[in-house]
Amino acid sequence: KQWYQRRVAITAGTAEEEILLADFSRTVPRSTSILFHLNALFVSALPIWLFWRIQQLELNTYGIMFGIVTIISTFLLSLAYKNVKYSLKHKIAQRRHAGVTAEVMQQVADASSEKKKTVKKEKDDRVLFKKTEVADLEATHFSIFYNNALFLFLTIILSFYVLKNFSPGANYLGSSVTSACVVAFLSTSSG
């Protein structure tokens, strides 16, 4: 029983350690995951309008294919969002460190003139929290923008230039799925 209690005490960790581990993990909060999936669904459905209005693909004839391709593209784009966010978050945090530190120190100086002195650990915690918050937000927005732009660019290039001689159904299938696969593949690079 004593061994088990020591084991639990070692693996439990402090709240600070849990926050630090959460910052370095690939998991995203539920709200961010919902944001990623909704954005991916919207962007994955945009080629449907393109092929319905320009290529004259009827919704009732190709509806099942539209649905399946949209689901596949949504999954791949969501994966790409998550991967790009993870790879950018720490780069952005390093670049924004000086600016965030200056801002937090100014806030602490303003607050400490009214109250007691703030200890160094509390200042460092505030800087770390603010830096993580800023980096998380910037990485999320840039990930969505970058992957959406790349997906739509590839879809247009593939559909109007590369696959223009294919039938409209094969053109839609090939351009949408290939674009989503390329975006997901490029998001896995460590660059």
Side-chain angles (χ1 to χ4, degrees), residues 30-45 70 74-75 77-78 81 144 148:
R30 184 174 174 86
S31 60
T32 305
S33 181
I34 291 170
L35 176 70
F36 283 168
H37 282 82
L38 289 176
N39 272 294
L41 180 64
F42 178 73
V43 172
S44 296
T70 300
T74 298
F75 171 75
L77 283 175
S78 294
Y81 293 153
I144 291 171
N148 287 350

Side-chain angles (χ1 to χ4, degrees), residues 23 38 58 104 125:
D23 287 344
L38 289 176
E58 290 300 319
V104 170
D125 288 346

Side-chain angles (χ1 to χ4, degrees), residues 1 40 60-61 79 83 112 149 156 173:
K1 186 173 182 177
N60 42 346
T61 307
L79 178 70
N83 289 341
S112 66
I156 289 170
L173 180 70

Side-chain angles (χ1 to χ4, degrees), residues 33-67:
S33 181
I34 291 170
L35 176 70
F36 283 168
H37 282 82
L38 289 176
N39 272 294
L41 180 64
F42 178 73
V43 172
S44 296
L46 283 176
I48 293 174
W49 181 84
L50 179 76
F51 281 88
W52 172 50
R53 300 303 286 171
I54 295 174
Q55 300 281 356
Q56 303 297 318
L57 291 178
E58 290 300 319
L59 290 176
N60 42 346
T61 307
Y62 291 96
I64 294 172
M65 183 175 69
F66 286 156

Side-chain angles (χ1 to χ4, degrees), residues 102-122:
E103 179 184 340
V104 170
M105 290 303 173
Q106 181 64 38
Q107 290 173 353
V108 168
D110 292 343
S112 66
S113 64
E114 299 169 3
K115 298 179 183 177
K116 61 179 182 162
K117 290 279 191 180
T118 308
V119 294
K120 180 169 176 27
K121 182 173 178 3
E122 185 179 337

Side-chain angles (χ1 to χ4, degrees), residues 10-23:
I10 290 171
T11 59
T14 64
E16 293 171 356
E17 291 170 343
E18 294 297 326
I19 291 171
L20 188 61
L21 286 174
D23 287 344

